[in-house]
Amino acid sequence: AVKRTLCFQVSAALREGQITPTELCQRCLSLIKSTKFLNAYITVTEETALKQAEESEERLRRGQPLGVLDGIPVAVKDNFNTAGIETTCASNMLRGYISPYNATVVQKLLDQGAVLVGKTNLDEFAMGSGSTDGVFGPVRNPWSYSRQYKEKSAPKSHPEDKESKWVITGGSSGGSAAAVSSFTCFAALGSDTGGSTRNPAAHCGVVGLKPTYGLISRHGLIPLVNSMDVPGILTRCVDDAAVVLGLLAGHDPKDSTTIQDEFKPFELPNLPDVSKLSIGIPKEYHAPGLSSEILALWSKAADLFKKAGAKVIEVSLPHTRYSIVCYHVLCTAEVASNMARFDGLEYGHRSDTDKSTESMYAATRREGFNAVVRGRILSGNYFLLKQNYERYFVKAQQVRRLIAHDFSKVFGSGVDVLLTPTTLTDAAPYTEFIKEDNRTRSAQGDILTQAANMAGLPAINVPAALSERGLPVGLQFIGPSFQEKQLLTVAKWFEKQVEFPRIQLEEVKRHDHGVLQHQKSASFS
Amino acid sequence: QAVTVEVLDHLERLALVDFRDSEGVERLQKAIQFADQLHEVNTDGIEPMDSVLEDRCLYLRGDDVTEGNCTKELMKNAREKVEEYFVAPPGIVLLIKI
C-alpha cells in the first residue's frame, strides 16, 4: 500500500527519477526568491543546499539513499546552531555569529541527507507570538496572498489597503511555518516553549508538533526556558510529522534532559480508528476572547469523534487560566539566567565602550537586545530577588505542579487525548496586532498552548478549516507524556476527516509542475 | 506596590541591562501586577516543581574526554582577542555607584 506522506511521495519521485534532488532544490530556491516578500527566511543557504542536493543525487544514482529524507529540502528556525552558517535568533546580539557546530537535530537531518535551504525568521530570541519582533522585520503569512483570503477581502479596496491587510504568521516560529505553508520546503524545525510551533502552525494552516519534553535533544537550540523548550516540527501533513519525529527523537548524550528510554520510530495506520478512544474536552479552554467561529469548529470536531464511536467527555483542568501567569514568571526567570551569557566577550555583538567590564557588558546588552528581551530579563531578575524568590519564583513552581497534576488526573481517569482550540482567533492583520505590546499579545497568543509546555506534554496543531476571512484555523490535540504514536494517530484521523484546503498561491503555481504540491496534474481548480 | 529606586538600581546592576526610561519602569510594574495573580492560587503543602522529568535520573556521561581541541574554531567569533585569550576592558569600576 502506498503511504500518502508528502515527504514519502516526493521521496518516491526522487527515487524513481521523476525529478532529481538538484531540480527539486532549485525549484524551492527559486520559489524562496519569488516569495521574498514573506520575509520567512533570514539566511538562504543556496550554495550549500545545491551541494547537498548534488551529493544526494549521487547517492540516489547509486541506489543508496540515506533514508526517506534524502534530497528533501528542509528549513531550520534561526535559533538552532548550524555549523558554518550564521545563526542570529533575529537579534543584533548574534548578527554575524557563525555557529561552530550543528545542533543535534540539525545534524540528524543532515545525516539523513536532507537539504538545508535556509534559516527561518522568528521573534527575537523566540520571545513573542507574532514573529513580528525580530530585527529582520516581521514575517508575512502566505495566506495573506492566497486566493482564498483575497476573495473574502473587500472587493473595492485600494492597492494600498491590500498592502496593509497582510496578516501575521503567529509565532515565534513564524518563518518556519510560512516556509512550509508556501511550499519552499517540505519540513521545518521550530521551537516550542509556550506554543511557538503550534501557534504559527494554526495561523499558517500547517501541522505543528510539540513533542514531549525530553524526547528530542535541545543540544544546539539556543535556550529560552530550559525546563520547557522543545524543538518543534512543522510539516504539511501528520504523516510527515511522524516521519521527522522518528528521525529526531531519542536520547542524546549531549543533552542530559533527554530521556534514556529507547525510542521506536513508528508508522501511523493507513486507516486510523478512534472508536475505542476517549476524547476529553477541557471546559476551561473555552477562554475569554475565543471567537465564535473557532468555538463552533471545536464543537463540530467533538461531534465528528462522537459519530465515529469515540467517547467524548467534558473534563476540567481547573488551573488552566493561571498557566499563562505561571509561565510569565518562570519564563522571565529562566530568561534572566539564559541571557546572562551574552556579554560580548566570547561571541556576538560587542559594544565599543571600553571604560570597564561592567559598562561594556551593559552597553553590549543595551545595543544587542530589543526592548522585549530586556524587559523579560529585568522582570525575571525582579522575581528572583531574595525578597521575591518565595513569593514569585517558588510560588510559580508550585502552581506549575498543580497544572501538571490537572493533566495527569484527567489522563489517569481514562481520557486518551484532549481536544482544544489552538488559538483564540484566526490571524490578525499586522497593523492590528502591533497596537498592543509584546507581553499582552504573547499572553493572548499562548493562552491555549502554554499549559502543555508547563506539563511537558506532547501536543499538535492540525489545520481544521478556513475562517470567514479565508484564513486557516487549527485545532489542538494534547496527549499524555511520550504517547506520540496515539496522539498522531488521532491527529491523522482528524486530518482525514476535515480535508483542509490547499493554499492557492500565484507564486507557487508558477514554479510548480505538480511535484511541490504533489499533484499528478499541473492544473489547479 | 511601586518599585522603588533602590530596587531599580539593584536590578540594573544584576541584569546589566538598563531601562532608565519611564516606559521600562512602567513595563516592570505591569509585569509585577500580572504575576500577582498567582497569589489567588492556594498552594499550601504543594512541592515546587523544578522539572517535569523529576521522577527520572538525569543522564550523566562518563568523565572521558571525547571531543575538544577546537580553540581556533571557538575564538573565531570573539571580537577582541589576543592569542588564546578573550580580552575584557580593564578595571573594576562598578557600573553604578551605590
Side-chain angles (χ1 to χ4, degrees), chain B residues 48-68:
Chain B
M49 182 183 237
D50 287 319
S51 165
V52 296
L53 299 177
E54 61 189 0
D55 294 333
R56 297 172 184 259
C57 280
L58 271 190
Y59 173 76
L60 292 176
R61 291 195 293 184
D63 191 11
D64 305 311
V65 175
T66 53
E67 30 183 278

Side-chain angles (χ1 to χ4, degrees), chain A residues 423-446:
Chain A
T423 56
L424 294 176
T425 63
D426 58 5
Y430 175 71
T431 47
E432 279 303 307
F433 187 78
I434 54 172
K435 285 185 183 163
E436 294 276 1
D437 68 59
N438 183 289
R439 190 179 55 76
T440 308
R441 288 304 189 204
S442 293
Q444 293 163 347
D446 291 344

Side-chain angles (χ1 to χ4, degrees), chain A residues 202 206 221 250 360:
Chain A
V206 298
L221 166 61
M360 187 278 276

Side-chain angles (χ1 to χ4, degrees), chain A residues 250-524:
Chain A
H251 178 64
D252 180 15
K254 292 182 183 172
D255 177 359
S256 61
T257 60
T258 53
I259 60 159
Q260 294 162 65
D261 302 2
E262 195 206 330
F263 175 79
K264 295 198 190 73
F266 51 81
E267 258 176 38
L268 300 174
N270 257 339
L271 301 164
D273 173 24
V274 300
S275 58
K276 297 186 186 63
L277 294 178
S278 169
I279 311 290
I281 311 287
K283 62 182 189 197
E284 291 85 2
Y285 278 66
H286 184 168
L290 185 66
S291 80
S292 50
E293 255 189 323
I294 298 186
L295 181 61
L297 191 64
W298 186 20
S299 178
K300 223 166 120 190
D303 286 342
L304 278 176
F305 279 99
K306 261 186 228 152
K307 281 200 197 85
K311 184 167 151 224
V312 179
I313 55 170
E314 190 189 73
V315 297
S316 176
L317 299 168
H319 296 93
T320 298
R321 68 194 180 92
Y322 294 106
S323 184
I324 203 74
V325 186
C326 195
Y327 178 63
H328 168 70
V329 174
L330 294 179
C331 172
T332 51
E334 294 214 34
V335 159
S337 171
N338 278 320
M339 296 295 129
R341 73 193 69 196
F342 297 106
D343 55 21
L345 275 186
E346 300 102 327
Y347 43 73
H349 174 69
R350 177 178 174 138
S351 173
D352 289 328
T353 315
D354 242 8
K355 286 196 286 264
S356 73
T357 311
E358 285 203 352
S359 65
M360 187 278 276
Y361 287 176
T364 295
R365 291 156 71 79
R366 181 180 55 243
E367 293 163 15
F369 291 140
N370 72 3
V372 175
V373 178
R374 294 203 311 272
R376 290 201 193 186
I377 293 172
L378 286 163
S379 300
N381 274 294
Y382 180 83
F383 298 132
L384 290 171
L385 287 176
K386 238 190 319 198
Q387 67 257 39
N388 297 328
Y389 193 82
E390 290 279 333
R391 277 178 39 86
Y392 290 97
F393 184 70
V394 175
K395 182 78 180 180
Q397 288 190 312
Q398 290 173 305
V399 176
R400 181 173 189 176
R401 183 176 296 283
L402 292 174
I403 292 167
H405 180 69
D406 280 354
F407 281 105
S408 53
K409 201 155 146 228
V410 163
F411 287 130
S413 72
V415 170
D416 296 301
V417 165
L418 297 169
L419 166 64
T420 80
T422 312
T423 56
L424 294 176
T425 63
D426 58 5
Y430 175 71
T431 47
E432 279 303 307
F433 187 78
I434 54 172
K435 285 185 183 163
E436 294 276 1
D437 68 59
N438 183 289
R439 190 179 55 76
T440 308
R441 288 304 189 204
S442 293
Q444 293 163 347
D446 291 344
I447 202 164
L448 302 173
T449 49
Q450 210 298 305
N453 298 85
M454 204 54 84
L457 302 172
I460 185 169
N461 171 78
V462 182
L466 292 186
S467 69
E468 289 254 324
R469 290 162 66 217
L471 295 172
V473 168
L475 288 176
Q476 172 177 237
F477 296 95
I478 306 173
S481 289
F482 305 109
Q483 302 300 313
E484 270 80 353
K485 184 170 182 187
Q486 181 180 259
L487 181 70
L488 290 172
T489 301
V490 173
K492 179 173 176 174
W493 181 87
F494 182 69
E495 179 187 63
K496 277 173 126 75
Q497 303 303 306
V498 298
E499 293 180 329
F500 185 76
R502 213 159 270 199
I503 186 176
Q504 287 168 34
L505 271 181
E506 199 53 53
E507 289 73 16
V508 177
K509 263 191 242 181
R510 262 185 260 127
H511 281 86
D512 185 28
H513 302 283
V515 187
L516 290 182
Q517 296 187 73
H518 215 217
Q519 292 177 308
K520 288 261 152 71
S521 75
S523 65
F524 292 76

